[in-house]
Amino acid sequence: MYGRRASQLLKDLSTNEPGQLSSFDTDAFDQVIKECDAHHIELQGMMRKMQEEGLDMQTTRNADHYGAVIHHLALIRNKRCLMAYVYNRAEVIQSLRWKVGAVLPQEVQQKVNYSEEEYFKNHSAALESYMSEMEVDLTVDMVPPKDPYIKVRVLDDIGDVFLSDQSPNLARHSIHFLK
Amino acid sequence: MASYYDIDDIIMEDELISTVFQIGANGVGMLDPGAERNCVEQGAKVELPFWLAHELHLRQAVAVTVPPCFNQKTRKEIQADAACVDLKSRCSYFYELGCKVAPLIGDRTIGSFLLYAFTGRYKEVLSKAHSAAFIMAPKFLTLLTKEETRLYEAARSSMTAFKKWRVGGPRFERASILRKRKPTD
């Protein structure tokens, strides 16, 4: 209660290696959702009690009000923990697309939830459609090349050019190695 | 709201702070293990997680006391020798918690105290991270807070990258084809 179970969920997530995914803890997730429901029921009970006593909801500050406030805050806290859990896992899945490619490896497949699989597929599809429209594959060459020079053949006579470290004479059909 | 999804922030806010309730609250007896009926009495001393204590403080419902990791005993220990104090067992989110608690309890000295502790320990962290031996000083690692551990890991990884670079030879290896430059014109 009061967000302890949800914090436990997040602590388990934080003990993972960065970039690795553990299996989706559906039991803990459902438990936290049940706690949220319990808090909500208590909250409604408090508010009904205050209404029955005929007190003004906006301004009274009695014991029931504070009890309701505490339940409300616990509910928001649980929500935040659940959102953070799902969000951080989604980030890892996103990075997996760039590292591993369009198909998830088998051991990762077992660990992800159904909705996470859908997320991966949709993200992948969006990426593919963008890349096919631009006709460029963004996922190759993730590390910058070690060798900074490229081979260049000149098509038109340009003459002397001053680059940052060399000043070649770019005559037609000559080949140079430039940065 | 950049820290809404941040896991460290959420776990940090779960640290317990001891508070004194200024009002009674119904239906929340689970917070106070000593409560007989299902409510918290006015004037009851309860240990609340930081997120709850912070919100209730904003509504003037609780009075927050100094957490034990910032009390006189810890301060004296840090003044004696900052680097050897086991902050991880007291509170592994020492610095973050200090920053957040300071406005709640109205203590102006916490800021300078945190800075003093951090500068004293940072020297140790850096020197240990740059020294050669590998699984060295595991005992030392158990004294560090989360933030310091992250700094330590970062320094370690940059040291290994540096060593690898030194052993590996010149950074840009020109491909063999570049050796003969084609004559221009």
Side-chain angles (χ1 to χ4, degrees), chain A residues 7 63-64 71 77 80 176-177, chain B residues 3-4 10 14 26 178 184:
Chain A
S7 309
D64 285 331
H71 280 293
R77 170 76 177 176
R80 181 183 177 192
H176 300 269
F177 293 96
Chain B
S3 57
Y4 185 77
I10 297 182
D14 220 26
N26 274 348
L178 291 182
T184 61

Side-chain angles (χ1 to χ4, degrees), chain A residues 105-172:
Chain A
Q106 185 53 31
E107 63 260 9
V108 180
Q109 196 98 11
Q110 290 166 344
K111 293 180 188 165
V112 292
N113 201 2
Y114 172 69
S115 31
E116 286 170 351
E117 244 182 84
E118 291 294 305
Y119 177 76
F120 182 81
K121 282 199 198 111
N122 292 337
H123 181 71
S124 204
L127 203 59
E128 300 281 329
S129 76
Y130 180 76
M131 290 200 292
S132 63
E133 235 187 86
M134 296 281 124
E135 287 167 29
V136 66
D137 187 2
L138 292 169
T139 55
V140 304
D141 280 345
M142 295 295 280
V143 179
K146 274 211 151 59
D147 185 359
Y149 291 91
I150 56 166
K151 198 167 169 183
V152 168
R153 177 200 294 221
V154 182
L155 295 173
D156 265 323
D157 208 347
I158 306 175
D160 268 313
V161 171
F162 288 101
L163 299 172
S164 56
D165 62 339
Q166 342 161 8
S167 49
N169 182 350
L170 296 178
R172 202 166 175 198

Side-chain angles (χ1 to χ4, degrees), chain A residues 1-2 6 18 37 43-44 46 56 77-78 83 93-95 99 110-111 115 119 132 137 151 153 161 171:
Chain A
M1 282 297 269
Y2 299 98
D37 288 332
L43 179 67
Q44 280 185 322
M46 298 265 151
D56 182 15
R77 170 76 177 176
N78 278 340
M83 296 274 280
I93 291 178
Q94 246 185 341
S95 66
K99 276 194 279 196
Q110 290 166 344
K111 293 180 188 165
S115 31
Y119 177 76
S132 63
D137 187 2
K151 198 167 169 183
R153 177 200 294 221
V161 171

